[in-house]
Amino acid sequence: SIPSAYFAGLQGSCFNAFGSANDTVVCAGDTVTLHASGGISYEWAPNTYLDNPNTDSPRAYPTTTTTYTVTINALGGCSQQIPVTVTVNSVPLTPEISLCSGTAFVCAPDSVCLTTGIENEYLWSPTGETTQRVYATATGDYSVKVTDVNHCSSYSDTVAVTIYPMPPAPDIFVSGGILTTSTTAPSYQWWILTAGSWFPISGANLS
């Protein structure tokens, strides 16, 4: 969004009347306020995409680049026409978020890598990071705003990320030569250290 105000003016008699106007640039979907001064009535043309073509300060929201002409009517029947061009730049394509690898749900302390396409600027939510690629370390909905070289922006849909907390370290007990644990979990995998390396024990459950 590039809000601003732009002026056209008319002063003095018909013989020394003068006017000025500034062109402006907006992003598609934005609105800009145009201004004219020095008259008793005003007529803007074309009157499309204007909230009021008969005021000194209409709000313009053209969908494509448009040159408006304002006719400034002063006392004594004097008038002058001033052109103002509103250049409309397109917004970037809606960015898509993809996973660098893996899935969008991991166990802490792992993170989920998210990335999007190449653009001029990035702003991720909710982290506030400004890089093309981010690493999500907390459960939540992530999205990105991208901005191009014309300062026009677009927003992605959200991607849900889930970071599962690590379970507590299990307590292991020895009873009658049998190892067992009192920690409750959906599944268990026992390991044995042999010759400096860990190997899984197949078939072991709570003990």
Side-chain angles (χ1 to χ4, degrees), residues 13-26:
S13 68
C14 296
F15 299 102
N16 61 4
F18 71 92
S20 64
N22 291 323
D23 296 336
T24 185
V25 179
V26 298

Side-chain angles (χ1 to χ4, degrees), residues 156-176:
S156 73
D157 293 330
T158 60
V159 170
V161 169
T162 302
I163 308 294
Y164 295 107
M166 289 286 288
D171 296 319
I172 298 177
F173 305 94
V174 180
S175 178

Side-chain angles (χ1 to χ4, degrees), residues 3-187:
S4 190
Y6 297 86
F7 291 86
L10 177 66
Q11 295 181 358
S13 68
C14 296
F15 299 102
N16 61 4
F18 71 92
S20 64
N22 291 323
D23 296 336
T24 185
V25 179
V26 298
C27 301
D30 285 351
T31 299
V32 64
T33 299
L34 307 176
H35 288 282
S37 63
I40 59 174
S41 65
Y42 305 87
E43 300 170 32
W44 293 82
N47 59 10
T48 53
Y49 302 106
L50 295 175
D51 65 344
N52 185 350
N54 300 117
T55 181
D56 60 340
S57 302
R59 292 174 61 81
Y61 44 95
T63 57
T64 59
T65 297
T66 302
T67 298
Y68 292 97
T69 299
V70 57
T71 301
I72 306 172
N73 300 306
L75 292 172
C78 303
S79 65
Q80 187 175 14
Q81 291 186 328
I82 306 293
V84 176
T85 298
V86 180
T87 299
V88 180
N89 287 323
S90 60
V91 299
L93 295 176
T94 300
E96 294 185 1
I97 297 176
S98 58
L99 299 171
C100 305
S101 62
T103 67
F105 45 91
V106 298
C107 295
D110 290 345
S111 60
V112 175
C113 177
L114 304 174
T115 187
T116 189
I118 297 175
E119 199 47 84
N120 193 51
E121 297 177 9
Y122 311 89
L123 180 61
W124 289 85
S125 176
T127 64
E129 294 175 84
T130 57
T131 53
Q132 182 182 359
R133 174 180 294 189
V134 296
Y135 293 87
T137 58
T139 295
D141 292 330
Y142 290 76
S143 62
V144 64
K145 168 188 173 183
V146 297
T147 303
D148 63 17
V149 294
N150 294 317
H151 306 290
C152 296
S153 302
S154 60
Y155 299 80
S156 73
D157 293 330
T158 60
V159 170
V161 169
T162 302
I163 308 294
Y164 295 107
M166 289 286 288
D171 296 319
I172 298 177
F173 305 94
V174 180
S175 178
I178 297 176
L179 296 176
T180 186
T181 178
S182 61
T183 302
T184 301
S187 63

